[in-house]
Amino acid sequence: MPKDPSIKSVLIIGSGPIIIGQACEFDYSGSQAALSLKDEGIEVSIINSNPATIMTDKVIGDHVYLLPLNCESLEQILTERQIDAVLPTMGGQTALNLCKEAEERGIWAKYNVRVIGVDVAAIEKTENREEFRQLMVDINVGVATSKIANSFLEGKEAAQEIGFPLVIRPSYTLGGTGGGIVHKKEDFDAALSRGLQASPTHEVLVEQAVLGWKEYELELLRDNKDNVIIICSIENFDPMGVHTGDSITVAPAMTLSDRCYQEMRNQAMKMMRAIGNFAGGCNVQFSVNPADESIIAIEINPRVSRSSALASKATGYPIAKIAAKLAIGYNLDEVENQITKTTSAYFEPTLDYVIVKVPRWNFDKFKGANTELGLQMKSVGEVMAIGRTFIEALQKATQSLEIGRSGLGADGRQCRNLDEIMHGLEHPSWNRLFLIKDAMSMGVPLESIRKVTRIDKWFLVQIQELVALETEIKRYSLTNIPRDFFLTLKQKGYSDVQIAWLLGNSVTEDDVYDRRKELGIKRVYKMVDTCAAEFQAQTPYYYSTYEDENESFPSDKKKVIVLGSGPNRIGQGIEFDYSCVHGLLAAKEAGYESIMVNCNPETVSTDFNMADKLYFEPVFWEHVREIIDLEKPEGVIVQLGGQTALKMAEKLHEKGIKIIGTSFNNMDIAEDRGRFSDLLKDLDIPYPKYGVAESAEEAIEVASQVGYPVLVRPSYVLGGQGMSIVINDEDLEKAVVKLLGDLPGNRVLIDHFLDRAEEAESDSICDGEDVHIVGLMEHIEPAGIHSGDSSAVLPPFNLPKKVTDLMEEYTVKLAKALDVRGLLNIQFAIKGEDVYVIEANPRASRTVPFIAKAYDVPYINIAAKIMLGANKLKDFKIERKLVGYAIKEPVFSFDKFPEVEKQLGPEMKSTGEAIRFIKDLEDPYFVKLYKEKSMYLSK
C-alpha cells in the first residue's frame, strides 16, 4: 500500500531534556523521522522542550514548538494547527506516556488526530508489567516467575513466594528508574518503596532474578502487510543484572548458536504481532540460560529505543527513517534502501565487521554515589567503535571514551592491587572491563574471572589474547619488531601510544608511527554498506582497519574536516553535536566537501546523510591524524566539538595542519591563565586576583596574597571539572593535592572568589573586523554555581544599563584582541556596578544553541561560514524575534543516585536543559526560581 493520502500534517513528540536513561538517541530518531516525512511532502510540527538539540531547529521541522511536554501544550498546538496524525514513537518513554495521557483525556479524539506508528493499546500491553506477563503466557513465550504488586503488603507477599535474589521492575519508567536487584531480605523494604514511588501508576513487578544469564536484544520493523524484518541482533557483554544501557554491547551477537538465534527471532516476531496491529519499530530483550539455551522474554518496547540508534549506526539501516515511512502507510518493499539506492528496504542487513558499544559514566560528578551497576541505568553517554574483529572494535571503543585511556590497558594506568581488582570483578562498575584485563595480566585464571563475572568465556578468551601479545612484545625493540607481529598488534586494535608504552625505553608515539609507515603498515578504510559488499553502495560511511584494500577514495574537491564531540557527558552534551551538524551544513553551503569524524552512535552528526563523508572513528589523535593524511583537507574545525575537539588543536598546530577559525595561539591565550590575565591587564579590563601553583605549599602562599575564599581549578577543563571553592588553608591543601594527583603535570589556578557576586555571560561572533553580540544572559543563581547548572535569562532582567554596556564593551575589546574568527563566549562576575571577566572561550558554547532558538537566528551557521572565510558579518541580515524573556532551565539526574545530596558548586552536574518562554517578570515560574536562587550553593 502506498502512503496514506489523508495524512498531510504530522506532529512528532520529542523526549524533552536529556537525563540519564533518555539521552540524545531520541534527538537522532526524531530528526530522522521529521526529515523522512518532509521528503514525502508532509508538513511536520515538532514539540520538544530541549533547546540544545538539532531536532528543535528550523532545518528539521516546518513548525517547532519549544514548549513543556504536557497536555496543555498539545492543546495549544492543536488549536493553532490542523494536525492529521501524531507520531509518538520517536521521543522515548516521555513521548509514549504523554501520548497515552492525551488519549485518556480524549484530546486526540477531540481534534480528530490519529495516532500512528503504534497502537495506544500496545503501549498499555508492554508497559503494564502484569498485562505483558499474561500476554507472554498466552502466546507461549517464556518469562521469569513474577508477581505484580500495587502495595507494600502485596510486594512482601510476592517476595516470600518467589524467594531471593529477586528483581523489582516499576511500570511505565525508562532507563530502569526505580528498579533494582535485591539479594537479601533486609534490603527489600527500601527497594520496594523506591520502586512503587518511581512508577507513575505505583505498580511494580517482583520477579525471579536470572542473574548470570546472557542478555540479547533484537531490533524489528513491521509494515502494514505484517512483513517483519530483524535489523540487528545485539549481545550484551555483561550478563543479566546490569541494565542494558550500562552494558558493553556487541553486534552482531557473537556467542549464540544458530538454533537459539532462530528461536529468538521467531519469538520476537510472535511478540511484536501479539501486542497490536501497527506498522513501526520494536525493540525486544531476551535472556538466555547459558546452561541449556532456554529463552525468556524480558520486555518489548513498541518504539525506537536507545538500541535502535545503535543498530542504525551499526548496520547503516536507518530504522527511525524507515519506521516513519511505514507509519504513514508505505510497506517495506515500497521504500528504497537508503544506502544502496538500488534495492528495497525489505531486507535484513548483513555485517562483515563487528561493532562494540561502551557506556560513558560520570560518577566523579556525584560524590558519594553508589557506583555499582545494576538494573537502574547510571551512564550518561556511550561510544561505538567498528572493527573487523571484536577485540579491534573493543580497543577502539576504549580509545573513544575520553577518560584518558589509550586502549584496553597497556598505557601505564593499570590497577595492580589484587584485592581491588577482585572486588571490582564481583561488583561491576565503570572500570570492570579494564580490571578484567588487569586481572589476567596478574595471572588470575580465566575460569576464576568467568565464575565471578559470569561473562561468556568467548569474550574473556579474546581479551586474554592481548595479554599473550603483550608478553611477546617484550622480546623486541622498535628496530627489530617483525612486520607480521607489528601488523597483528595493529589488527588487534593497539594504538601507537600503547605500543610505545609496551616497548619502553622512551619510545614515543611518533617513533612508532614513523616506523609503522616505513614498514608499510597503513590503516585502510572500509565502507558500512548494509549488505557485506553484495551490492554497490552509494553512502560514504567508513571505519578503519588494517587490511590491503582501501575503499575510501579522496575527491579532488576542497574539503574541511569537522571534529565531533565524542561521547555525551556532563559538561559536554548534545549542544556541541548541534554545533557540529550546523558546521557540516554551513561547509556544504560554502562549497566545501564536509567530512565528519565522531564516535557517538546516539547523535545526528554521525547520521550518514549529514556530512558528505562520515568517518565513524575515535576522536583520538592517531585516528584523526591518519584521516587527515588520507583526505588532505584545507583545514580542520575544532571550535564546534567542545573540549574533545579543542584538545587536538595543539597537535594540529605542531604538525602544521590549518585550524579553521581562531588560531591556536589565540585559543591558547584564552586557556592559559597567565597569558590571559596579562591581556586583560593591557586592555584595562578588571579580573579577580589570581595566582598559579604547582604544589600545595605554593597554593597556600598564593591564597594568602589573593585572599579567601578562593576558587581552585586545573587549567584546560570543560564543565568545571575538578573545581572547588575553599575557605581555609587546610581545605586548600586537600584540594590541590587531589588535583595534582588526578592530573599529574598540570598547574593549579587559584582565583579570589567574588562572594555574593552576580554572574552573567556574553556570546559573540567576530569576523576579524566586526563583532556581533549574539546575546547577553544573566544568571539567576549567584556566582559560584557553574554556568551550566544556573538558570539563565535572555536578555538580562536585572542588570543596570551601565553593566550591560561594559559587558558589550569588554566583549568587543576581547574579540578583537584575540583576533577571533567565529564564536566567543565570555563569563562575567558583577559586584555592584563593577564588571569582572572570569574567563573567555573562543569556541561554540553551551548557550549559543539556546540563544539561536530563542532569537530564531541561525547563529552557528553564520559563525561557521565566517570561520571558513566564506562570509563577513555584514553579509548577514540578523533579526531577533523574541517577545519577553527566555529562561534556560538546567535539568539534573540526581534521582538516579538517591544517596547523593543535591549540592551545586563550580563543577557542573546537570545532564540537560529545557527552554521556557515568559512574557514578563511577574511570571510565577520566574518568581519561584528567583526566590530559591542560592538554596543549593555549596563548595
mmCIF file of all heavy atoms in Angstrom, residues 118 138 178 213 243 379 400 463 467 628 680 800:
data_model
loop_
_atom_site.group_PDB
_atom_site.id
_atom_site.type_symbol
_atom_site.label_atom_id
_atom_site.label_comp_id
_atom_site.label_asym_id
_atom_site.label_seq_id
_atom_site.Cartn_x
_atom_site.Cartn_y
_atom_site.Cartn_z
ATOM 1 N N VAL A 118 2.173 3.279 16.310
ATOM 2 C CA VAL A 118 1.954 2.402 17.468
ATOM 3 C C VAL A 118 0.461 2.439 17.800
ATOM 4 O O VAL A 118 -0.228 3.396 17.437
ATOM 5 C CB VAL A 118 2.797 2.873 18.693
ATOM 6 C CG1 VAL A 118 2.284 4.187 19.256
ATOM 7 C CG2 VAL A 118 2.850 1.818 19.787
ATOM 8 N N ASP A 138 0.080 -16.277 27.374
ATOM 9 C CA ASP A 138 -0.950 -16.627 26.376
ATOM 10 C C ASP A 138 -0.338 -17.069 25.046
ATOM 11 O O ASP A 138 -0.856 -17.947 24.371
ATOM 12 C CB ASP A 138 -1.892 -15.442 26.111
ATOM 13 C CG ASP A 138 -2.727 -15.087 27.355
ATOM 14 O OD1 ASP A 138 -2.751 -15.915 28.285
ATOM 15 O OD2 ASP A 138 -3.330 -13.998 27.378
ATOM 16 N N GLY A 178 14.070 3.428 39.327
ATOM 17 C CA GLY A 178 13.406 2.823 40.482
ATOM 18 C C GLY A 178 13.570 1.320 40.576
ATOM 19 O O GLY A 178 13.144 0.706 41.537
ATOM 20 N N TRP A 213 22.550 -14.982 33.570
ATOM 21 C CA TRP A 213 22.095 -15.424 32.249
ATOM 22 C C TRP A 213 22.592 -14.412 31.223
ATOM 23 O O TRP A 213 22.915 -13.272 31.541
ATOM 24 C CB TRP A 213 20.568 -15.487 32.212
ATOM 25 C CG TRP A 213 19.980 -16.672 32.939
ATOM 26 C CD1 TRP A 213 20.502 -17.293 34.030
ATOM 27 C CD2 TRP A 213 18.760 -17.345 32.625
ATOM 28 N NE1 TRP A 213 19.676 -18.313 34.427
ATOM 29 C CE2 TRP A 213 18.587 -18.369 33.575
ATOM 30 C CE3 TRP A 213 17.787 -17.188 31.636
ATOM 31 C CZ2 TRP A 213 17.491 -19.235 33.565
ATOM 32 C CZ3 TRP A 213 16.687 -18.037 31.621
ATOM 33 C CH2 TRP A 213 16.544 -19.058 32.579
ATOM 34 N N HIS A 243 21.880 -3.143 33.778
ATOM 35 C CA HIS A 243 20.951 -2.550 32.809
ATOM 36 C C HIS A 243 21.599 -2.501 31.426
ATOM 37 O O HIS A 243 22.781 -2.197 31.305
ATOM 38 C CB HIS A 243 20.583 -1.127 33.260
ATOM 39 C CG HIS A 243 19.506 -0.498 32.428
ATOM 40 N ND1 HIS A 243 19.753 0.054 31.191
ATOM 41 C CD2 HIS A 243 18.186 -0.341 32.645
ATOM 42 C CE1 HIS A 243 18.623 0.521 30.688
ATOM 43 N NE2 HIS A 243 17.660 0.294 31.558
ATOM 44 N N SER A 379 24.760 5.422 33.315
ATOM 45 C CA SER A 379 25.697 6.049 32.369
ATOM 46 C C SER A 379 25.052 7.283 31.737
ATOM 47 O O SER A 379 23.832 7.374 31.628
ATOM 48 C CB SER A 379 26.120 5.060 31.290
ATOM 49 O OG SER A 379 24.986 4.634 30.556
ATOM 50 N N SER A 400 37.958 5.833 22.536
ATOM 51 C CA SER A 400 36.972 6.883 22.241
ATOM 52 C C SER A 400 36.366 7.503 23.495
ATOM 53 O O SER A 400 35.661 8.504 23.412
ATOM 54 C CB SER A 400 35.812 6.288 21.419
ATOM 55 O OG SER A 400 36.268 5.596 20.298
ATOM 56 N N ILE A 463 40.125 -11.274 25.193
ATOM 57 C CA ILE A 463 40.910 -10.302 25.981
ATOM 58 C C ILE A 463 42.231 -10.933 26.424
ATOM 59 O O ILE A 463 43.276 -10.281 26.446
ATOM 60 C CB ILE A 463 40.081 -9.788 27.190
ATOM 61 C CG1 ILE A 463 38.851 -9.010 26.685
ATOM 62 C CG2 ILE A 463 40.920 -8.891 28.103
ATOM 63 C CD1 ILE A 463 37.841 -8.635 27.755
ATOM 64 N N VAL A 467 46.873 -10.185 26.435
ATOM 65 C CA VAL A 467 47.900 -10.376 27.478
ATOM 66 C C VAL A 467 49.074 -11.167 26.901
ATOM 67 O O VAL A 467 50.243 -10.850 27.142
ATOM 68 C CB VAL A 467 47.284 -11.077 28.713
ATOM 69 C CG1 VAL A 467 48.340 -11.313 29.779
ATOM 70 C CG2 VAL A 467 46.141 -10.237 29.288
ATOM 71 N N ILE A 628 43.393 12.775 8.223
ATOM 72 C CA ILE A 628 43.948 13.995 7.609
ATOM 73 C C ILE A 628 45.001 13.619 6.555
ATOM 74 O O ILE A 628 45.018 14.178 5.459
ATOM 75 C CB ILE A 628 44.548 14.925 8.697
ATOM 76 C CG1 ILE A 628 43.432 15.469 9.593
ATOM 77 C CG2 ILE A 628 45.328 16.082 8.064
ATOM 78 C CD1 ILE A 628 43.903 16.167 10.856
ATOM 79 N N LEU A 680 44.201 40.916 29.734
ATOM 80 C CA LEU A 680 43.144 41.718 30.382
ATOM 81 C C LEU A 680 43.745 42.995 30.975
ATOM 82 O O LEU A 680 43.166 44.084 30.896
ATOM 83 C CB LEU A 680 42.437 40.903 31.470
ATOM 84 C CG LEU A 680 41.558 39.727 30.988
ATOM 85 C CD1 LEU A 680 41.055 38.918 32.174
ATOM 86 C CD2 LEU A 680 40.372 40.210 30.162
ATOM 87 N N PRO A 800 21.885 46.762 35.550
ATOM 88 C CA PRO A 800 21.794 48.159 35.112
ATOM 89 C C PRO A 800 22.424 48.343 33.726
ATOM 90 O O PRO A 800 23.300 47.559 33.327
ATOM 91 C CB PRO A 800 22.594 48.927 36.169
ATOM 92 C CG PRO A 800 23.042 47.940 37.182
ATOM 93 C CD PRO A 800 22.699 46.565 36.730
#
